Amino acid sequence: MPKSTKKELPKFPWPEVEVGDWAGEFAQRPSGSIGQHIQPGPPEMSVEFTYLIVGAVVISPRTKMRWPAVVSFWVRTPLTPQRVEAGFMFKSENMPSFNLGLEVTRQQFTEMVWLFSQKLLNNFYFNVGHGAENHWPVKSWGASFQL
């Protein structure tokens, strides 16, 4: 029998992640999930979850390099660990893209769903701080729209 010809994908040589003010453009309409589940205990707790995921392009501050990205918007729950950051960014493992997780309030989430449904959200921005071990804190973020 022939030997397996399965080859390991080459690792992409990443440049250093630039700290500072990044820009972004949403590439499509988001998809999302909403629900509730029982968190094991003791004591068991009923926990809700709500999030949106959308493809995007993010643009680094100095080199203006454009990277594909996946942006997720998460509503904080009582079990969410307390953090000071507004979100986080990390590199994908086998492809040259970023993942950006941004925390939102319930009110922001409601407004964002409406803005996305009306195709009014296109551009966004975020500030990346110094990170370590493939995790960079997002200090602030925002999005623009026109009515």
Side-chain angles (χ1 to χ4, degrees):
M1 292 180 63
K3 291 185 177 181
S4 175
T5 59
K6 203 175 205 181
K7 294 181 181 178
E8 189 174 314
L9 295 173
K11 295 283 185 190
F12 179 79
W14 280 90
E16 289 296 315
V17 170
E18 296 176 23
V19 171
D21 295 322
W22 289 60
E25 302 165 6
F26 296 117
Q28 60 191 30
R29 291 178 53 164
S31 60
S33 288
I34 187 168
Q36 195 163 353
H37 67 93
I38 301 297
Q39 182 77 22
E44 290 185 339
M45 296 178 71
S46 180
V47 178
E48 69 177 67
F49 60 90
T50 309
Y51 62 88
L52 288 174
I53 298 176
V54 61
V57 171
V58 293
I59 304 155
S60 61
R62 287 184 305 283
T63 62
K64 303 300 182 203
M65 181 82 166
R66 296 171 70 84
W67 296 93
V70 174
V71 181
S72 58
F73 297 94
W74 296 87
V75 175
R76 179 176 284 283
T77 70
L79 295 180
T80 304
Q82 290 296 327
R83 290 191 297 266
V84 177
E85 56 197 42
F88 59 90
M89 184 170 77
F90 63 94
K91 301 175 196 173
S92 297
E93 211 171 292
N94 291 318
M95 71 171 56
S97 67
F98 285 106
N99 293 289
L100 184 63
L102 304 173
E103 289 191 9
V104 296
T105 64
R106 172 66 57 199
Q107 182 64 36
Q108 283 177 314
F109 185 86
T110 300
E111 292 169 1
M112 288 178 64
V113 167
W114 185 83
L115 289 165
F116 271 124
S117 73
Q118 300 301 305
K119 299 180 180 165
L120 296 173
L121 275 181
N122 297 314
N123 301 312
F124 65 102
Y125 55 90
F126 56 102
N127 181 279
V128 174
H130 292 281
E133 298 181 17
N134 198 25
H135 181 274
W136 291 266
V138 172
K139 296 179 177 185
S140 63
W141 71 269
S144 60
F145 57 91
Q146 186 174 5
L147 298 176

